[in-house]
Structure formats: C-alpha cells, structure tokens
Amino acid sequence: MPSADVNGVHTNGNANGHTNGHTNGHANGCTNGHANGNTNGHSTGFKNPSLHVTADHQLKLVDAPIREPGHGEVTLQIKCSGICGSDMHLWKSGRIGSLEVKGDCILGHEAAGIVLKCGEGVTNLKPGDRVGIEPQEPCEKCFLCMEGRYNLCEDVKFSGIWPDNGTIQRFKVHPAKWLYKIPDNLTYSEGALLEPLSVILHGINGANVRLGRPALICGAGPIGLVALAAARASGAHPLVITDIDPGRLEFAREFVPRCQTYRINSKLSAEENAKEIRKLYGEDEYSAPASVIECTGVESSVCTAAFSVRRGGTIMVIGVGKPVMNNIPFMHLSLAEIDLKFINRYRDTWPAAIQCMSGGIMDLNKMVTHKFPLEKALDAFELCADVRNGSIKVHIVDEVDASL
C-alpha cells in the first residue's frame, strides 16, 4: 500500500485496493475442493501460523483455521510475504485513513506462493503452480469495475485490511482470478516484490515520465526506491531522489548508480528546499523536473514537490498521508498549470510487473535487506519498527514444504 509515516520517519509502502480480462495460464485439470468450511489441518500435521494485529494495537502469532477453497478459489501456501509501511501503520495507529482495524486481522499483502488445492471451477491453475498474488478482490458489479477501474471499487476485499485476512500466514484461500503464474527464473521473494512494483507501474503511467526527460523522486523508502528504478528503466534523466535519512540516500546511490541525491534540510521551507533541488538539474525553468513522483505522503514533501516541478509539469502522489492537508500551494499549482495527480493501488499491472522482473528490466533484489522465517514474524515487525536497524524491505518466508 502507499507510504505511511512510522515513528516520524517516512516509510514507503503500498495501499488500497482487474477485471480487465487477463489469462493466467492454461487449463490443466485442477483438483476440486470440498464445500466451504474450515479444517484444523491436523490430518497432515501442518498448522497455520499467522500474524494478527488486534484492535488495541497488539501483534500476536497464533494458529489460524485452514479453509477449504470454494468455487473459483485455491488454497495457497504463502512462501514469501513482505512487510509494507501500511502494515506497520495498521499496527501502530490502528488505521489508514478510513480503513480501521476493528478486530483481529492477519496482516500482509505483498506475497507469492504455491497452489496446493483448487476449488471447483478453477481451470487456469493446478496444484504446484507458483504464483504472484494480487491482493484485492473487487465486486465486479459496480460502474467502476465495469469500466475496468476496479482499483476504485468501494466494495473491494483487500488482503490484510480488516476484516479480510492477509498473507502473513502459511495457508491462504484466494480467488484464482487474482493469481498469476510466475516463471521459473523468478524466486518467491521476487514474486512478493511484484506488489510494490505494481504500485509504481500504475503510478508511473500517469506521471508523464519519459525518455531523456528530468524526473524527481521524493522519498527513498521501498516505494521510492522502486520508483527510482522504474524511472531509470523508463529512461528518465537527470534523476534525483530526496529523503531526510542519509543512509537511505546512500542506499539509493548504490541501487541506481547514476542518480543524484538531495537530503531534505528540515530548517528550510518547502520552497527553499525546492530551490536547492532545482539547482541539481540546471539554471533555467526547462531544466527543472518535468515529472515528480511523491512517495512519502508527508505534507511538507508534497509542497516541496509542488515547488520543484517545472511549469506545466506533473506531480504523481503515491504516498499516503494525513486525511487533510491545508498548506498545499494551490495558486502556484494553478498559475503554472501543474498537474497534481493521485493513485489508489493498481489495476492490470501484474503481467507487466512479471515481464519487467523476469526480463531483467528491473532487479529489485537488493532492496530485501532482511529475511525472517514465518515463526519469527513478530521479530521481523520489531526490527522494522526501529529505524536504527536500517531495514529497507523485510521478507517473511516459509521454507516448509507443506501439504494439505
């Protein structure tokens, strides 16, 4: 999910909630599931450890029921699930905007896994298929779904957003329609990175990032780093990324070597920081960034983006911030005809994301700085909560070869 502020430091993540007819593979004799219900999984000896967040901001690792797949559904073993800034925000704050934790809910939405069992009517997958998971299930009935803008569906079920359980568990039932086969040259870790990449693919489509045109990325957290890599892959140049954390800026320089970095000076105003940023591009207005991808959701950063972008340029806000921002420079944006845009999650992005990663267009593996086994999921969240640990992307992996 888009970014959230955790402990006063920008942590970038992804958010919210396809009916655009995609194919996930060929029909290959699936095994039919039984009628919907739960089983405790003890027939095979495998339990379902799962990480829950509670309404009173606690985390707990408990065994969850193992569901049977219904019509059009499959049971997956989640092999890798990433921790997103939004997961941290749901834990620490209990909400993201109007999305509130009102009861126990399994966290996680950045994931990949393997199909263990198919329910009735599933023809595009079979047991043993390795898949990336699009973590949303829109209603497919509203006008937005009918128009193909299913990411805006108000009745969407989104993994890890109460009351819909997420991916930090061993076994998860998920609609087959929202699963995508991943090729053999992608690991499960890379399969989990398809979700944050999807956020950026959706955002960059509207950000007017072009070959040989200057671009600016605000925020060097995970989403900002993916945006930086995507802008470079799109041919944007010069390319600058900002942050308040020098360690993250150093990581960005290693991650995309030809980028430039700017450390935000908290003693300067947004307009003053923007003037310093503009100097990295050149002296005239045309040299200023034509596109800005804002990945923090922090009001001061959005304002800095507004003063940094050139006249007639585009700002794409991907970060998730406060419900209301009162200091956006409205008349500056208006008089300069600057397009201020926003995104909500993604739509029809997994096939392109798979092609980007399997084709070697983008390599995001360096972002994964820590890995924890599923049984140590609590430790993974504690590490993420302490910014002194220098984590970028933390993955929770399940190395067990489970069966049902």
Side-chain angles (χ1 to χ4, degrees):
M1 297 177 68
S3 78
D5 242 359
V6 178
N7 292 347
V9 176
H10 310 330
T11 57
N12 298 320
N14 327 313
N16 295 346
H18 176 211
T19 52
N20 298 359
H22 56 270
T23 58
N24 294 330
H26 304 292
N28 257 326
C30 295
T31 61
N32 291 333
H34 305 297
N36 279 350
N38 295 332
T39 175
N40 60 18
H42 291 300
S43 59
T44 61
F46 290 104
K47 296 183 179 181
N48 188 21
S50 57
L51 186 80
H52 294 242
V53 65
T54 67
D56 59 349
H57 304 180
Q58 301 299 311
L59 292 178
K60 59 182 181 179
L61 188 67
V62 298
D63 290 331
I66 302 172
R67 282 185 52 208
E68 287 287 339
H71 189 276
E73 296 179 328
V74 305
T75 299
L76 302 166
Q77 180 187 0
I78 304 297
K79 300 296 288 184
C80 181
S81 190
I83 298 178
C84 171
S86 62
D87 296 318
M88 301 297 293
H89 213 56
L90 289 169
W91 169 28
K92 295 293 187 179
S93 301
R95 67 187 310 134
I96 299 176
S98 61
L99 305 174
E100 183 179 0
V101 179
K102 297 181 179 180
D104 289 9
C105 183
I106 299 173
L107 290 173
H109 58 273
E110 305 178 4
I114 185 170
V115 176
L116 297 182
K117 192 172 187 178
C118 297
E120 293 182 1
V122 175
T123 59
N124 61 320
L125 295 169
K126 66 182 185 303
D129 284 342
R130 303 164 66 250
V131 295
I133 302 167
E134 183 167 358
Q136 58 188 353
E137 183 184 357
C139 76
E140 302 189 59
K141 297 177 182 178
C142 69
F143 77 95
L144 291 163
C145 284
M146 298 302 290
E147 289 178 355
R149 297 191 293 167
Y150 63 90
N151 60 308
L152 302 180
C153 174
E154 291 187 292
D155 293 325
V156 67
K157 297 178 181 179
F158 195 87
S159 298
I161 299 294
W162 185 89
D164 299 302
N165 285 325
T167 57
I168 305 180
Q169 56 178 321
R170 174 162 292 148
F171 301 113
K172 186 182 191 306
V173 172
H174 200 76
K177 180 173 184 177
W178 305 106
L179 300 172
Y180 303 81
K181 291 182 182 180
I182 56 175
D184 291 341
N185 69 331
L186 288 188
T187 65
Y188 287 118
S189 180
E190 290 169 319
L193 290 168
L194 295 171
E195 198 276 347
L197 177 54
S198 284
V199 173
I200 294 304
L201 289 180
H202 184 46
I204 207 168
N205 283 338
N208 207 23
V209 175
R210 294 185 184 178
L211 191 70
R213 284 165 55 107
L216 170 66
I217 312 298
C218 296
I223 283 294
L225 291 169
V226 177
L228 181 69
R232 171 57 75 221
S234 300
H237 190 80
L239 196 52
V240 176
I241 187 166
T242 71
D243 206 278
I244 61 173
D245 185 341
R248 289 200 166 188
L249 293 176
E250 182 180 357
F251 186 94
R253 288 191 293 270
E254 295 174 357
F255 189 56
V256 177
R258 296 198 64 186
C259 78
Q260 300 180 74
T261 61
Y262 176 80
R263 185 181 180 185
I264 295 294
N265 187 340
S266 59
K267 296 181 180 180
L268 299 181
S269 67
E271 192 167 5
E272 289 169 334
N273 272 303
K275 287 181 180 178
E276 296 302 312
I277 292 169
R278 278 176 162 238
K279 291 178 182 178
L280 298 175
Y281 292 91
E283 297 298 327
D284 60 342
E285 185 68 22
Y286 187 79
S287 298
S291 303
V292 180
I293 303 178
E294 206 296 312
C295 299
T296 74
V298 175
E299 184 171 332
S300 60
S301 183
V302 176
C303 293
T304 299
F307 289 118
S308 298
V309 70
R310 77 182 184 193
R311 295 174 67 83
T314 301
I315 303 170
M316 176 60 73
V317 179
I318 291 177
V320 171
K322 297 186 301 184
V324 177
M325 294 186 184
N326 292 317
N327 297 306
I328 303 300
F330 175 80
M331 283 309 300
H332 173 77
L333 296 169
S334 175
L335 292 173
E337 287 192 5
I338 294 167
D339 288 335
L340 179 60
K341 298 181 177 181
F342 304 85
I343 65 162
N344 183 43
R345 297 171 180 156
Y346 28 65
R347 59 176 181 262
D348 193 26
T349 52
W350 256 256
I354 290 170
Q355 295 292 352
C356 283
M357 294 190 68
S358 66
I361 297 172
M362 297 175 67
D363 183 357
L364 305 179
N365 285 301
K366 289 182 181 179
M367 288 176 47
V368 182
T369 54
H370 299 79
K371 291 185 179 182
F372 287 80
L374 178 57
E375 293 77 11
K376 298 289 186 180
L378 288 170
D379 293 342
F381 271 75
E382 292 292 348
L383 179 135
C384 287
D386 189 344
V387 297
R388 295 171 298 181
N389 291 319
S391 63
I392 300 294
K393 177 58 68 178
V394 176
H395 276 176
I396 297 170
V397 299
D398 190 12
E399 300 289 358
V400 173
D401 290 326
S403 61
L404 292 172

